[in-house]
Amino acid sequence: MLAGLPKAPSLYNPIANPQRAKQRQHYVLRRMTELGYITAAQYEEATQAPIRPKREVNEYSVHAEYAAEMARQAIAEHYPDEVYSHGFRVYTTIRKADQEAAYASLRKGVLDYDRRNGYRARKAFRSCRRSPTRTTTKRL
């Protein structure tokens, strides 16, 4: 499926247009067979397989963006050259239940504070632009 998307990703999107995606899949697989990248049996197997697009799923099931960034920074400090080129797996001591409770509590606190005395609107607008007719020059 991925090989067919570069030509027109929105046109051959398997979620938005499954028929066109299937047509493009057949074309790409046929060309791969003609060029010798796959066998006729592989072509038949691939064309018979249904297209099952996967919708975007949140990779992380808990809000821990700051903790994840702190872990990334710690790894970058120890392995600056490899941090983006190697597949590091980092395990922390953060428990999902604790993090969810902390996130909910912080969110509730911020929303409560905003309701009590939050920013609602600007009181006035003052332009900082100078008039084109008035120019001021300063000497140093």
Side-chain angles (χ1 to χ4, degrees), residues 68-80:
E69 176 58 18
M70 288 172 56
R72 188 202 62 78
Q73 287 177 1
I75 293 297
E77 200 174 293
H78 290 288
Y79 307 101

Side-chain angles (χ1 to χ4, degrees), residues 44-113:
E44 287 301 320
E45 181 183 343
T47 55
Q48 298 305 317
I51 295 177
R52 284 185 235 117
K54 291 187 178 183
R55 300 199 182 265
E56 185 176 326
V57 177
N58 188 0
E59 186 176 348
Y60 306 107
S61 61
V62 68
H63 286 284
E65 293 85 3
Y66 293 106
E69 176 58 18
M70 288 172 56
R72 188 202 62 78
Q73 287 177 1
I75 293 297
E77 200 174 293
H78 290 288
Y79 307 101
D81 298 330
E82 297 90 6
V83 73
Y84 293 112
S85 60
H86 288 68
F88 288 110
R89 286 185 179 248
V90 179
Y91 296 93
T92 66
T93 57
I94 297 172
R95 292 187 309 178
K96 182 178 180 179
D98 293 342
Q99 185 63 29
E100 285 175 346
Y103 180 80
S105 177
L106 178 67
R107 181 170 169 76
K108 182 184 180 307
V110 168
L111 292 174
D112 288 346
Y113 176 84

